[in-house]
Amino acid sequence: MKLMSKLLRYFGYILFRPIWWLERLMLRSNKIWVFGAWYGQKYSDNSKWLYEYVLEHNPEIKAVWITKNRDVYNKLCSQNKPVCLSASAKGAWWCLRAKYAFLTSGVVDVNMFFLNGAKQIWLWHGMPLKKILNCADEWLAVSRGHKIVSKILNPYQSFRPYETVTSSDFFTPYLQQSFGLPENRILKTGLPRCDAFFTDLTEKIVRNIRRKFNGAKILLYMPTFRMSSERNGTLFNPFDSKFNFEQEEFINFLEQENIVFLYKPHFVDSGVNVNINSNRFILLNDSQFEDLYVLLNSVDMLVTDYSSVFFDFIPSKKPIFLLPFDYEEYLKSSRSHFFNMYEKMTGVICKDWNDFYKNFKDQNWEKIDFAKNNNLAEYLDGNSCKKIICMIQEVCL
C-alpha cells in the first residue's frame, strides 16, 4: 500500500511538470509576499515575526500567511489577518503571484507546486551547531544517482533558497555549505524571532508564576531532539536515572533554591512521559503560551543542550546552562556538529543532574563571562525584521 501510494504521488508529480514549467512565465509581484512555517502546521517562528512586522509597518505589501492547518487558519481569520489554506485555490493563487516566499523549513511550509519563479527566502529555524541539509550525515549517505532521480521525479522540493539569514559572520561558512549559496546570499540581518528580546513582552503563564512564587527563579529547559525519536520512536527523556536523576532530590532542589522549572521538550519528543510530582515543575506544550520567543524573553535562565536556542538567547544577557549529558552518544547516533561546542559556546556546562545542582547552588553562572558569546549573535539587535525588509526592498527598486 505504501509503495502504491508513493508511485501514485510521483506519477502525479510527473503529470504536473508542464504547469510547473509554465509558472516561469507568470508575472510575479514585488508587492505580494507569502509566509509559512513548520510544514504548514504552525503559526510561529521567524516567518511569523516577519509577517506580523510587515502587516504593521508595510501596508503597501500584500502579506499572506499560507497554512495546511485548519486551526491556524481559523485563528488568523478571527484576527482579520490575511491567510489562506495551502491546498485552496486562493492559497495556490497567492503562491503563484508572490515574488517572495518566506519559509522556516522549506517549500513544504506553503504550496510547493506554485513557487517556480518566486524568490525563496529561507529564514530557517536556527543557527547551525548541528550539521544540516547538504552537510547532514543522512544526506551525505544518499547516493548521487538516487539524488539525481529524486530531483527529476520531484523538482518541487529540490530548489535551493534564493537567500537565507544569519545571526553572525561566524555561521556564514556553515550556512553556505548547508544551503549551497554564495556569501552574498547570506543576509546579515539576524533572526526575526529574536527581536522579541528587545521588547517588554511577557507570557501570561510566567506572570502567573511570579505572582504565585514570590522571588522565584524561573528556568526554561529546552533540549533538542535525538534521531532515535524519529527513527524508532524512542523519545528522549532527560529525567532518567542514567543521567543521575532522582525525583525526590530534584523536587527538594527546586524548593530549596526557590525555582520554578519549565520543561519544553522538542515537538518530536512531545509525547514523552514525564511525571514529576511538584507544582514547581511544569511540562509545557504549545497551547500554554502564545509565542515561544516571548516565553524565552520572560524567563530568568535558559537550560538546553545542542539546540540552536542557545544562540538565540544570547542577546537576553541572561545565564545559560548547558546539559550535554549524552554528548558522545549524540554525535555518534544523532547529528555530527560543525564545531566543538565546548570550545565555542560559553555557558555553565554540566555533565549530569548532580553537576547541575552543584553549579546552581554555587551560583557559578556569576563566574561566567557570557559576553564571550557575542560573536555568535552580532546581528541580533532587535531590528532583524526591519533589516530584512530594507534589504529586499532595495532589490525591488
Side-chain angles (χ1 to χ4, degrees):
M1 182 64 72
K2 286 184 178 181
L3 177 60
M4 180 59 68
S5 176
K6 191 172 185 178
L7 288 173
L8 287 172
R9 185 170 71 251
Y10 278 110
F11 183 65
Y13 288 168
I14 293 170
L15 289 179
F16 193 78
R17 287 290 287 275
I19 298 175
W20 173 256
W21 291 325
L22 287 172
E23 288 177 26
R24 300 291 299 185
L25 302 176
M26 187 70 183
L27 184 62
R28 292 178 176 271
S29 172
N30 289 331
K31 299 297 184 181
I32 300 175
W33 298 2
V34 293
F35 300 78
W38 288 107
Y39 314 103
Q41 295 302 321
K42 294 185 177 184
Y43 179 60
S44 65
D45 222 301
N46 289 308
S47 294
K48 171 193 170 183
W49 279 83
L50 187 61
Y51 168 72
E52 294 194 344
Y53 184 92
V54 171
L55 290 181
E56 181 177 356
H57 298 279
N58 298 87
E60 76 280 5
I61 295 170
K62 177 64 176 179
V64 183
W65 189 268
I66 306 295
T67 183
K68 299 172 185 175
N69 187 312
R70 177 67 68 169
D71 290 336
V72 170
Y73 174 79
N74 290 336
K75 176 182 177 179
L76 294 185
C77 280
S78 70
Q79 298 173 358
N80 295 315
K81 291 176 179 174
V83 58
C84 288
L85 289 168
S86 170
S88 70
K90 283 187 176 180
W93 172 252
W94 287 121
C95 287
L96 194 59
R97 289 284 289 118
K99 184 69 173 181
Y100 295 96
F102 297 89
L103 315 168
T104 65
S105 302
V107 291
V108 289
D109 292 349
V110 289
N111 190 324
M112 65 183 184
F113 297 106
F114 296 97
L115 289 183
N116 196 6
K119 291 184 176 180
Q120 300 174 25
I121 314 297
W122 287 26
L123 302 172
W124 204 235
H125 45 270
M127 293 295 97
L129 164 63
K130 304 182 285 281
K131 291 186 177 180
I132 57 172
L133 298 174
N134 294 342
C135 298
D137 301 325
E138 56 266 34
W139 176 248
L140 294 174
V142 177
S143 69
R144 179 177 174 81
H146 187 277
K147 291 174 183 176
I148 293 173
V149 171
S150 295
K151 187 172 183 178
I152 292 172
L153 293 177
N154 180 12
Y156 318 107
Q157 284 185 265
S158 62
F159 270 46
R160 66 185 183 189
Y162 177 73
E163 290 172 324
T164 189
V165 297
T166 186
S167 291
S168 168
D169 289 340
F170 174 84
F171 293 107
T172 297
Y174 306 128
L175 292 169
Q176 285 183 254
Q177 296 170 45
S178 300
F179 289 93
L181 292 175
E183 185 176 355
N184 65 340
R185 296 284 181 85
I186 311 293
L187 304 182
K188 299 178 179 183
T189 60
L191 307 184
R193 66 191 185 189
C194 294
D195 286 356
F197 295 113
F198 298 87
T199 72
D200 57 2
L201 297 173
T202 58
E203 281 288 343
K204 181 178 179 181
I205 186 172
V206 174
R207 295 196 299 270
N208 290 341
I209 289 169
R210 294 199 187 281
R211 282 193 289 268
K212 183 176 180 180
F213 297 94
N214 185 41
K217 301 178 189 70
I218 302 176
L219 279 62
L220 175 58
Y221 180 29
M222 291 180 58
T224 195
F225 74 100
R226 274 66 178 163
M227 294 303 292
S228 58
S229 301
E230 292 189 330
R231 288 173 181 156
N232 56 33
T234 303
L235 303 183
F236 176 64
N237 183 0
F239 305 99
D240 190 287
S241 58
K242 66 182 178 181
F243 303 128
N244 287 325
F245 180 82
E246 199 282 319
Q247 182 170 159
E248 185 175 351
E249 183 180 18
F250 178 70
I251 293 172
N252 288 338
F253 165 74
L254 299 183
E255 294 282 353
Q256 292 167 7
E257 299 299 323
N258 193 16
I259 293 170
V260 176
F261 197 96
L262 311 180
Y263 173 46
K264 172 70 173 66
H266 192 280
F267 69 85
V268 172
D269 293 314
S270 59
V272 66
N273 184 25
V274 176
N275 293 308
I276 296 177
N277 188 25
S278 170
N279 62 353
R280 289 178 173 270
F281 177 87
I282 301 173
L283 176 60
L284 285 177
N285 59 59
D286 290 345
S287 67
Q288 293 170 277
F289 54 89
E290 286 294 319
D291 187 277
L292 177 59
Y293 280 75
V294 175
L295 177 66
L296 281 161
N297 190 45
S298 307
V299 301
D300 299 312
M301 301 181 185
L302 173 68
V303 185
T304 186
D305 48 17
Y306 322 111
S307 173
S308 63
V309 73
F310 173 94
F311 309 113
D312 294 348
F313 198 71
I314 291 169
S316 75
K317 303 187 185 304
K318 297 175 183 177
I320 306 173
F321 285 82
L322 285 165
L323 311 186
F325 292 165
D326 58 345
Y327 184 68
E328 297 299 333
E329 176 62 26
Y330 186 90
L331 292 179
K332 183 168 61 177
S333 62
S334 284
R335 289 276 183 89
S336 54
H337 291 174
F338 278 116
F339 54 90
N340 187 319
M341 62 178 291
Y342 289 93
E343 295 177 357
K344 302 295 185 181
M345 297 161 61
T346 299
V348 184
I349 301 178
C350 309
K351 63 183 180 182
D352 59 19
W353 284 105
N354 289 333
D355 199 24
F356 171 69
Y357 303 149
K358 183 179 187 306
N359 275 290
F360 194 94
K361 290 176 180 177
D362 292 345
Q363 298 187 357
N364 282 341
W365 68 84
E366 294 185 349
K367 306 170 187 176
I368 299 291
D369 182 7
F370 289 103
K372 291 180 179 179
N373 289 317
N374 290 346
N375 71 309
L376 304 175
E378 60 188 303
Y379 300 126
L380 300 181
D381 58 5
N383 295 301
S384 294
C385 290
K386 182 178 180 179
K387 287 184 285 186
I388 291 172
I389 303 301
C390 289
M391 287 187 178
I392 290 173
Q393 288 184 327
E394 285 177 7
V395 172
C396 294
L397 295 175

